[in-house]
Amino acid sequence: MANDEASKVISIIQDLRIAMVTTHSAGRLASRPLTLIEANEQGELWFFSTADSEIVQEIRAQRLVNAAFSGSKAWVSVSGHAEVVLDVAKKKELWNAAVETFASEGPESAQTVLLRIDADSAEYWENPGGAASLVAGWVKQKLTGKPAEPGDSNSVEL
């Protein structure tokens, strides 16, 4: 995943940190917020969860997921396959004080699990001017008839 576009996706994701992770749940889609622990150049996104949570059960049943990150100036949608990881060494490596807030059992506990999303592709939108420039572009389009230029976007295979 070592190309410029993929690096840009990882950079945006690392800045945004909170993902709405969408899974398959009994014939419907369900999205839940998870805090990103790590995103690396191999296209792996790492999150902590609890073994008995609905999201973990859904990933075990159907690995195809989406993680959407949103901020005031950038947005990323990542498609990939998730896996529940029980490796204690990896949990210790990624452990931090914020995780301890919701997972007080610690990284050695079987109740504390990692979710790894192996990204297949991503789509991003970036607008350095934020919402104000989007509104200005819309007004410009209405007044002049020229298309708005909302910023940078691209689809990336990871």
Side-chain angles (χ1 to χ4, degrees):
M1 179 173 143
N3 66 49
D4 290 340
E5 291 296 306
S7 294
K8 183 174 198 163
V9 167
I10 294 298
S11 176
I12 294 169
I13 287 170
Q14 289 172 334
D15 286 343
L16 297 175
R17 311 291 308 166
I18 303 295
M20 290 300 291
V21 177
T22 303
T23 58
H24 296 264
S25 173
R28 64 180 180 85
L29 298 175
S31 298
R32 296 169 188 88
L34 293 176
T35 302
L36 178 71
I37 302 300
E38 180 179 273
N40 63 37
E41 293 297 321
Q42 291 74 43
E44 297 175 341
L45 309 180
W46 291 88
F47 306 87
F48 274 99
S49 191
T50 55
D52 59 358
S53 65
E54 288 181 13
I55 194 169
V56 167
Q57 303 314 311
E58 292 161 4
I59 287 170
R60 285 185 169 140
Q62 168 55 266
R63 294 185 55 219
L64 187 61
V65 299
N66 181 271
F69 297 82
S70 180
S72 63
K73 298 180 182 182
W75 306 265
V76 177
S77 176
V78 176
S79 295
H81 291 81
E83 182 175 343
V84 179
V85 177
L86 306 174
D87 182 349
V88 172
K90 188 66 176 179
K91 290 190 288 183
K92 286 181 177 180
E93 174 190 332
L94 297 176
W95 192 258
N96 63 53
V99 174
E100 193 168 347
T101 303
F102 82 89
S104 59
E105 301 88 5
E108 295 89 3
S109 171
Q111 182 61 16
T112 303
V113 300
L114 284 165
L115 301 178
R116 183 187 74 225
I117 297 176
D118 295 316
D120 297 325
S121 64
E123 194 165 350
Y124 72 88
W125 302 266
E126 194 172 38
N127 186 356
S133 72
L134 288 174
V135 171
W138 178 77
V139 169
K140 177 182 173 184
Q141 179 201 15
K142 292 296 181 189
L143 293 175
T144 67
K146 294 180 182 176
E149 297 173 11
D152 189 22
S153 66
N154 199 7
S155 295
V156 181
E157 294 300 315
L158 303 172

